[in-house]
Amino acid sequence: MRIGTPREIKNHEYRVGLTPAGVRELVHHGHTVLIETAAGLGIGISDEQYAAAGARIVGTAAEVFAQADLIVKVKEPQPAECAMLRENQVLFTYLHLAPDPEQARGLIESKCIAIAYETVTDGRGGLPLLAPMSEVAGRMSIQAGAHAMEKAAGGNGVLLGGVPGVPAAEVVIIGGGVVGYNAARIAIGMGARVTILDRSLARLNYLDSVFENRATTLYSTRDAVETCVHRADLVIGSVLVPGAAAPKLVTRDMLKSIPNGTVMVDVAIDQGGCFESSRPTTHQEPTYVVDGVVHYCVANMPGGVARTSTFALTNATLPHVLALANKGHRQALLDDPNLRAGLNVCRGEVTYQAVADALGYRYVPALDML
């Protein structure tokens, strides 16, 4: 099979879909790998390193899309990339379609086979291709939030860990999954006072056991969210409904009584955000202010630490890339229900229920399209 990886073109996105080690593995299995020139330069991987691993270096993204049977990326295809997709071509990347009707329309019209990293599952019901980036985003959310809390950045001027004789900051984390757990780890390590809200009693028991008396765990209700965000210095939104738009848990009305300079970091922004006042931002302009509250809503947070993120992500995706390349997409998807859960769009039909529901498309089960 011909596998292609173009250079990412989203704002300040330096990650890359394949590393030289991944290229070498694919070439060893008899496949041809096409890498757009300079695709890895943002994380210090040269064209020469890719060529030494066996890749063919091509000059433009158009050449990659025109020649490859399988496109392996990191971020969702931008409009110019959607226009280059063709019928029966396989796209394997993050999609986050529920809040993105334009992208969904482009994928449907292309009649490609679009498999989303974020809805691929494992045998335990986890999301193994989302988890590495959730770990990164969770940890980054605290350092980004701590910087935004500085007075010069528009925050309230509170030091996250405090100092002797002065209280540490109050950090509220809404959602105790992978993002929330990793955010709590870093916040606790920096000396903040941490509260975690979640609706799973089993998850709250786990977090309570792991963090012992270093964090407070609360069952998430509207009242609990409202009470906690009103006293917080930093709020982390880390709610995930796989494939679906994130629920709006902090409403616009709540902002009116939140103290000026409070910082809210919406890690769920890829799925539309869990704050009603959220809108996507970039690493170039990461924050904006609504009713005196600082919002950080960067839609590709792990891209800020692109080298770490690339290697963490490709460690998880490579086995699936190999399966798609070795077996062909149809057989790979039939053989592996966990990979099949990643199929969001197939030859003009929406094959993921939550995406169909969110965007108003007819849902066609993946097996029906295979």
Side-chain angles (χ1 to χ4, degrees):
M1 184 179 283
R2 291 166 297 182
I3 301 124
T5 291
R7 180 175 57 85
E8 297 292 329
I9 59 174
K10 193 178 178 101
N11 180 280
H12 281 271
E13 182 55 76
Y14 306 105
R15 289 174 289 179
V16 62
L18 285 172
T19 62
V23 169
R24 185 177 178 187
E25 197 71 20
L26 288 161
V27 170
H28 173 73
H29 282 80
H31 305 293
T32 298
V33 181
L34 310 170
I35 303 288
E36 183 184 354
T37 186
L41 285 185
I43 59 168
I45 300 176
S46 66
D47 289 350
E48 289 74 20
Q49 287 173 281
Y50 279 118
R56 282 175 44 200
I57 308 301
V58 297
T60 65
E63 293 175 79
V64 174
F65 279 85
Q67 298 178 47
D69 307 301
L70 166 61
I71 299 292
V72 179
K73 281 175 43 61
V74 177
K75 287 306 291 177
E76 69 279 359
Q78 303 303 292
E81 294 173 311
C82 283
M84 291 188 281
L85 290 165
R86 63 179 187 273
E87 188 170 355
N88 288 321
Q89 189 173 41
V90 181
L91 172 67
F92 193 33
T93 189
Y94 287 117
L95 295 177
H96 300 292
L97 287 175
D100 193 349
E102 182 183 1
Q103 185 204 164
R105 185 165 52 251
L107 295 180
I108 290 166
E109 290 175 354
S110 75
K111 296 190 175 180
C112 74
I113 291 94
I115 305 169
Y117 291 162
E118 72 272 10
T119 62
V120 172
T121 57
D122 61 24
R124 301 181 301 277
L127 302 171
L129 307 191
L130 187 62
M133 297 304 92
S134 295
E135 291 170 353
V136 171
R139 296 177 186 210
M140 282 189 72
S141 69
I142 299 301
Q143 68 183 49
H147 175 67
M149 286 166 60
E150 295 175 17
K151 197 67 181 175
N156 58 8
V158 173
L159 181 66
L160 198 68
V163 293
V166 180
E170 290 274 0
V171 176
V172 171
I173 300 170
I174 306 173
V178 176
V179 170
Y181 165 77
N182 280 276
R185 278 189 61 185
I186 301 304
I188 290 167
M190 294 179 72
R193 293 174 290 172
V194 176
T195 299
I196 311 169
L197 295 95
D198 200 277
R199 287 200 165 186
S200 166
L201 290 177
R203 188 64 180 176
L204 290 173
N205 279 327
Y206 169 76
L207 294 168
D208 196 63
S209 174
V210 168
F211 294 126
E212 297 178 326
N213 62 348
R214 296 172 295 163
T216 298
T217 56
L218 290 176
Y219 185 78
S220 183
T221 62
R222 183 180 177 85
D223 185 71
V225 169
E226 188 168 346
T227 299
C228 288
V229 299
H230 285 166
R231 68 165 188 260
D233 299 294
L234 172 60
V235 180
I236 307 295
S238 58
V239 176
L240 174 69
V241 179
K248 308 299 183 187
L249 299 182
V250 177
T251 66
R252 186 68 182 265
D253 283 344
M254 290 181 190
L255 296 189
K256 296 173 184 176
S257 55
I258 294 176
N260 288 354
T262 298
V263 174
M264 303 202 310
V265 178
D266 197 341
V267 186
I269 193 64
D270 273 332
Q271 293 295 136
C274 60
F275 308 144
E276 194 173 29
S277 49
S278 291
R279 57 175 171 81
T281 61
T282 67
H283 287 288
Q284 188 172 351
E285 296 183 31
T287 63
Y288 61 92
V289 178
V290 178
D291 292 339
V293 177
V294 180
H295 291 60
Y296 179 103
C297 304
V298 174
N300 59 329
M301 285 181 66
V305 286
R307 187 172 176 89
T308 295
S309 297
T310 291
F311 286 95
L313 177 61
T314 56
N315 286 343
T317 59
L318 182 58
H320 296 291
V321 176
L322 277 166
L324 290 165
N326 289 343
K327 298 179 178 183
H329 77 272
R330 182 176 181 276
Q331 197 60 50
L333 292 167
L334 286 171
D335 288 350
D336 186 351
N338 294 312
L339 180 59
R340 191 164 65 243
L343 186 63
N344 279 213
V345 176
C346 185
R347 296 194 300 277
E349 300 288 353
V350 176
T351 53
Y352 197 83
Q353 181 79 66
V355 171
D357 291 347
L359 298 178
Y361 285 103
R362 178 180 71 153
Y363 165 65
V364 180
L367 281 172
D368 291 357
M369 297 300 297
L370 299 173

mmCIF file of all heavy atoms in Angstrom, residues 236-264:
data_model
loop_
_atom_site.group_PDB
_atom_site.id
_atom_site.type_symbol
_atom_site.label_atom_id
_atom_site.label_comp_id
_atom_site.label_asym_id
_atom_site.label_seq_id
_atom_site.Cartn_x
_atom_site.Cartn_y
_atom_site.Cartn_z
ATOM 1 N N ILE A 236 -10.614 24.020 34.998
ATOM 2 C CA ILE A 236 -10.229 23.176 33.871
ATOM 3 C C ILE A 236 -11.459 22.409 33.405
ATOM 4 O O ILE A 236 -12.051 21.652 34.188
ATOM 5 C CB ILE A 236 -9.115 22.176 34.251
ATOM 6 C CG1 ILE A 236 -7.918 22.887 34.898
ATOM 7 C CG2 ILE A 236 -8.699 21.351 33.026
ATOM 8 C CD1 ILE A 236 -7.178 23.832 34.002
ATOM 9 N N GLY A 237 -11.859 22.596 32.152
ATOM 10 C CA GLY A 237 -12.970 21.846 31.580
ATOM 11 C C GLY A 237 -12.438 20.634 30.836
ATOM 12 O O GLY A 237 -11.767 20.779 29.822
ATOM 13 N N SER A 238 -12.745 19.445 31.338
ATOM 14 C CA SER A 238 -12.155 18.230 30.750
ATOM 15 C C SER A 238 -13.202 17.142 30.555
ATOM 16 O O SER A 238 -12.942 15.966 30.780
ATOM 17 C CB SER A 238 -11.019 17.717 31.641
ATOM 18 O OG SER A 238 -11.467 17.448 32.961
ATOM 19 N N VAL A 239 -14.383 17.559 30.117
ATOM 20 C CA VAL A 239 -15.495 16.620 29.941
ATOM 21 C C VAL A 239 -15.434 16.018 28.545
ATOM 22 O O VAL A 239 -15.175 16.722 27.563
ATOM 23 C CB VAL A 239 -16.841 17.338 30.148
ATOM 24 C CG1 VAL A 239 -17.999 16.401 29.882
ATOM 25 C CG2 VAL A 239 -16.910 17.896 31.566
ATOM 26 N N LEU A 240 -15.684 14.716 28.442
ATOM 27 C CA LEU A 240 -15.668 14.044 27.140
ATOM 28 C C LEU A 240 -16.854 13.111 27.008
ATOM 29 O O LEU A 240 -17.097 12.273 27.875
ATOM 30 C CB LEU A 240 -14.377 13.237 26.974
ATOM 31 C CG LEU A 240 -14.305 12.364 25.713
ATOM 32 C CD1 LEU A 240 -14.209 13.236 24.468
ATOM 33 C CD2 LEU A 240 -13.149 11.383 25.781
ATOM 34 N N VAL A 241 -17.590 13.269 25.908
ATOM 35 C CA VAL A 241 -18.591 12.291 25.478
ATOM 36 C C VAL A 241 -18.084 11.792 24.126
ATOM 37 O O VAL A 241 -18.092 12.554 23.156
ATOM 38 C CB VAL A 241 -19.990 12.913 25.339
ATOM 39 C CG1 VAL A 241 -20.982 11.853 24.868
ATOM 40 C CG2 VAL A 241 -20.436 13.521 26.664
ATOM 41 N N PRO A 242 -17.567 10.558 24.038
ATOM 42 C CA PRO A 242 -16.866 10.121 22.820
ATOM 43 C C PRO A 242 -17.644 10.415 21.539
ATOM 44 O O PRO A 242 -18.797 10.027 21.380
ATOM 45 C CB PRO A 242 -16.707 8.614 23.035
ATOM 46 C CG PRO A 242 -16.646 8.461 24.518
ATOM 47 C CD PRO A 242 -17.599 9.493 25.054
ATOM 48 N N GLY A 243 -16.993 11.166 20.648
ATOM 49 C CA GLY A 243 -17.560 11.462 19.344
ATOM 50 C C GLY A 243 -18.625 12.530 19.314
ATOM 51 O O GLY A 243 -18.960 13.042 18.248
ATOM 52 N N ALA A 244 -19.172 12.887 20.462
ATOM 53 C CA ALA A 244 -20.297 13.827 20.519
ATOM 54 C C ALA A 244 -19.820 15.211 20.949
ATOM 55 O O ALA A 244 -18.709 15.382 21.467
ATOM 56 C CB ALA A 244 -21.359 13.322 21.483
ATOM 57 N N ALA A 245 -20.674 16.203 20.743
ATOM 58 C CA ALA A 245 -20.375 17.545 21.222
ATOM 59 C C ALA A 245 -20.366 17.551 22.748
ATOM 60 O O ALA A 245 -21.181 16.874 23.392
ATOM 61 C CB ALA A 245 -21.417 18.533 20.699
ATOM 62 N N ALA A 246 -19.427 18.289 23.316
ATOM 63 C CA ALA A 246 -19.313 18.359 24.772
ATOM 64 C C ALA A 246 -20.514 19.100 25.365
ATOM 65 O O ALA A 246 -20.993 20.077 24.784
ATOM 66 C CB ALA A 246 -18.030 19.073 25.166
ATOM 67 N N PRO A 247 -21.024 18.658 26.524
ATOM 68 C CA PRO A 247 -22.121 19.384 27.180
ATOM 69 C C PRO A 247 -21.627 20.713 27.737
ATOM 70 O O PRO A 247 -20.473 20.833 28.160
ATOM 71 C CB PRO A 247 -22.532 18.431 28.307
ATOM 72 C CG PRO A 247 -21.302 17.637 28.605
ATOM 73 C CD PRO A 247 -20.583 17.477 27.301
ATOM 74 N N LYS A 248 -22.487 21.726 27.744
ATOM 75 C CA LYS A 248 -22.117 23.056 28.248
ATOM 76 C C LYS A 248 -22.390 23.110 29.750
ATOM 77 O O LYS A 248 -23.518 23.330 30.186
ATOM 78 C CB LYS A 248 -22.907 24.143 27.523
ATOM 79 C CG LYS A 248 -22.842 24.060 26.007
ATOM 80 C CD LYS A 248 -21.437 24.190 25.469
ATOM 81 C CE LYS A 248 -21.421 24.180 23.951
ATOM 82 N NZ LYS A 248 -20.060 24.147 23.395
ATOM 83 N N LEU A 249 -21.361 22.901 30.535
ATOM 84 C CA LEU A 249 -21.536 22.774 31.983
ATOM 85 C C LEU A 249 -21.346 24.088 32.736
ATOM 86 O O LEU A 249 -21.847 24.237 33.847
ATOM 87 C CB LEU A 249 -20.572 21.717 32.525
ATOM 88 C CG LEU A 249 -20.777 20.306 31.957
ATOM 89 C CD1 LEU A 249 -19.804 19.330 32.585
ATOM 90 C CD2 LEU A 249 -22.209 19.828 32.172
ATOM 91 N N VAL A 250 -20.599 25.008 32.161
ATOM 92 C CA VAL A 250 -20.488 26.348 32.747
ATOM 93 C C VAL A 250 -21.212 27.294 31.806
ATOM 94 O O VAL A 250 -20.790 27.519 30.671
ATOM 95 C CB VAL A 250 -19.024 26.776 32.922
ATOM 96 C CG1 VAL A 250 -18.953 28.213 33.471
ATOM 97 C CG2 VAL A 250 -18.301 25.825 33.880
ATOM 98 N N THR A 251 -22.330 27.851 32.270
ATOM 99 C CA THR A 251 -23.178 28.676 31.409
ATOM 100 C C THR A 251 -22.693 30.121 31.384
ATOM 101 O O THR A 251 -21.912 30.561 32.240
ATOM 102 C CB THR A 251 -24.632 28.651 31.898
ATOM 103 O OG1 THR A 251 -24.697 29.304 33.182
ATOM 104 C CG2 THR A 251 -25.142 27.219 32.020
ATOM 105 N N ARG A 252 -23.202 30.845 30.400
ATOM 106 C CA ARG A 252 -22.849 32.262 30.286
ATOM 107 C C ARG A 252 -23.336 33.035 31.510
ATOM 108 O O ARG A 252 -22.658 33.956 31.991
ATOM 109 C CB ARG A 252 -23.480 32.826 29.005
ATOM 110 C CG ARG A 252 -23.096 34.256 28.665
ATOM 111 C CD ARG A 252 -21.626 34.357 28.278
ATOM 112 N NE ARG A 252 -21.255 35.718 27.997
ATOM 113 C CZ ARG A 252 -21.252 36.250 26.763
ATOM 114 N NH1 ARG A 252 -21.606 35.522 25.727
ATOM 115 N NH2 ARG A 252 -20.870 37.495 26.591
ATOM 116 N N ASP A 253 -24.485 32.654 32.055
ATOM 117 C CA ASP A 253 -25.005 33.337 33.243
ATOM 118 C C ASP A 253 -24.075 33.179 34.436
ATOM 119 O O ASP A 253 -23.958 34.095 35.268
ATOM 120 C CB ASP A 253 -26.394 32.806 33.596
ATOM 121 C CG ASP A 253 -27.482 33.363 32.691
ATOM 122 O OD1 ASP A 253 -27.212 34.374 31.999
ATOM 123 O OD2 ASP A 253 -28.584 32.788 32.670
ATOM 124 N N MET A 254 -23.435 32.019 34.551
ATOM 125 C CA MET A 254 -22.525 31.796 35.680
ATOM 126 C C MET A 254 -21.351 32.766 35.661
ATOM 127 O O MET A 254 -20.818 33.134 36.715
ATOM 128 C CB MET A 254 -21.991 30.357 35.659
ATOM 129 C CG MET A 254 -23.011 29.283 35.983
ATOM 130 S SD MET A 254 -22.223 27.645 35.958
ATOM 131 C CE MET A 254 -23.668 26.575 36.058
ATOM 132 N N LEU A 255 -20.935 33.198 34.454
ATOM 133 C CA LEU A 255 -19.765 34.072 34.363
ATOM 134 C C LEU A 255 -19.982 35.386 35.094
ATOM 135 O O LEU A 255 -19.036 35.994 35.596
ATOM 136 C CB LEU A 255 -19.429 34.369 32.901
ATOM 137 C CG LEU A 255 -19.008 33.221 31.990
ATOM 138 C CD1 LEU A 255 -18.505 33.774 30.672
ATOM 139 C CD2 LEU A 255 -17.934 32.360 32.626
ATOM 140 N N LYS A 256 -21.239 35.832 35.150
ATOM 141 C CA LYS A 256 -21.527 37.152 35.707
ATOM 142 C C LYS A 256 -21.158 37.260 37.175
ATOM 143 O O LYS A 256 -20.904 38.361 37.674
ATOM 144 C CB LYS A 256 -23.005 37.477 35.499
ATOM 145 C CG LYS A 256 -23.387 37.587 34.025
ATOM 146 C CD LYS A 256 -24.889 37.742 33.842
ATOM 147 C CE LYS A 256 -25.265 37.758 32.363
ATOM 148 N NZ LYS A 256 -26.733 37.819 32.160
ATOM 149 N N SER A 257 -21.151 36.120 37.879
ATOM 150 C CA SER A 257 -20.816 36.158 39.308
ATOM 151 C C SER A 257 -19.465 35.529 39.615
ATOM 152 O O SER A 257 -19.121 35.327 40.782
ATOM 153 C CB SER A 257 -21.923 35.466 40.114
ATOM 154 O OG SER A 257 -22.147 34.159 39.629
ATOM 155 N N ILE A 258 -18.696 35.202 38.560
ATOM 156 C CA ILE A 258 -17.340 34.697 38.759
ATOM 157 C C ILE A 258 -16.396 35.890 38.860
ATOM 158 O O ILE A 258 -16.478 36.824 38.056
ATOM 159 C CB ILE A 258 -16.922 33.763 37.601
ATOM 160 C CG1 ILE A 258 -17.785 32.503 37.611
ATOM 161 C CG2 ILE A 258 -15.454 33.382 37.699
ATOM 162 C CD1 ILE A 258 -17.518 31.567 36.435
ATOM 163 N N PRO A 259 -15.478 35.914 39.827
ATOM 164 C CA PRO A 259 -14.594 37.083 39.997
ATOM 165 C C PRO A 259 -13.759 37.365 38.749
ATOM 166 O O PRO A 259 -13.320 36.441 38.052
ATOM 167 C CB PRO A 259 -13.702 36.674 41.177
ATOM 168 C CG PRO A 259 -14.500 35.666 41.932
ATOM 169 C CD PRO A 259 -15.286 34.918 40.898
ATOM 170 N N ASN A 260 -13.547 38.638 38.484
ATOM 171 C CA ASN A 260 -12.688 39.033 37.367
ATOM 172 C C ASN A 260 -11.286 38.446 37.547
ATOM 173 O O ASN A 260 -10.757 38.406 38.664
ATOM 174 C CB ASN A 260 -12.583 40.561 37.280
ATOM 175 C CG ASN A 260 -13.862 41.192 36.775
ATOM 176 O OD1 ASN A 260 -14.799 40.499 36.385
ATOM 177 N ND2 ASN A 260 -13.908 42.511 36.781
ATOM 178 N N GLY A 261 -10.692 38.029 36.429
ATOM 179 C CA GLY A 261 -9.341 37.468 36.471
ATOM 180 C C GLY A 261 -9.295 35.975 36.661
ATOM 181 O O GLY A 261 -8.231 35.362 36.553
ATOM 182 N N THR A 262 -10.450 35.363 36.967
ATOM 183 C CA THR A 262 -10.502 33.902 37.004
ATOM 184 C C THR A 262 -10.155 33.376 35.612
ATOM 185 O O THR A 262 -10.515 33.965 34.595
ATOM 186 C CB THR A 262 -11.905 33.421 37.411
ATOM 187 O OG1 THR A 262 -12.188 33.895 38.724
ATOM 188 C CG2 THR A 262 -12.012 31.896 37.385
ATOM 189 N N VAL A 263 -9.448 32.243 35.568
ATOM 190 C CA VAL A 263 -9.037 31.656 34.292
ATOM 191 C C VAL A 263 -9.790 30.353 34.073
ATOM 192 O O VAL A 263 -9.883 29.520 34.990
ATOM 193 C CB VAL A 263 -7.513 31.398 34.258
ATOM 194 C CG1 VAL A 263 -7.117 30.640 32.978
ATOM 195 C CG2 VAL A 263 -6.759 32.716 34.353
ATOM 196 N N MET A 264 -10.319 30.166 32.862
ATOM 197 C CA MET A 264 -10.981 28.918 32.500
ATOM 198 C C MET A 264 -10.280 28.327 31.273
ATOM 199 O O MET A 264 -10.169 28.997 30.238
ATOM 200 C CB MET A 264 -12.463 29.141 32.205
ATOM 201 C CG MET A 264 -13.220 29.770 33.366
ATOM 202 S SD MET A 264 -15.026 29.480 33.342
ATOM 203 C CE MET A 264 -15.465 29.942 31.680
#
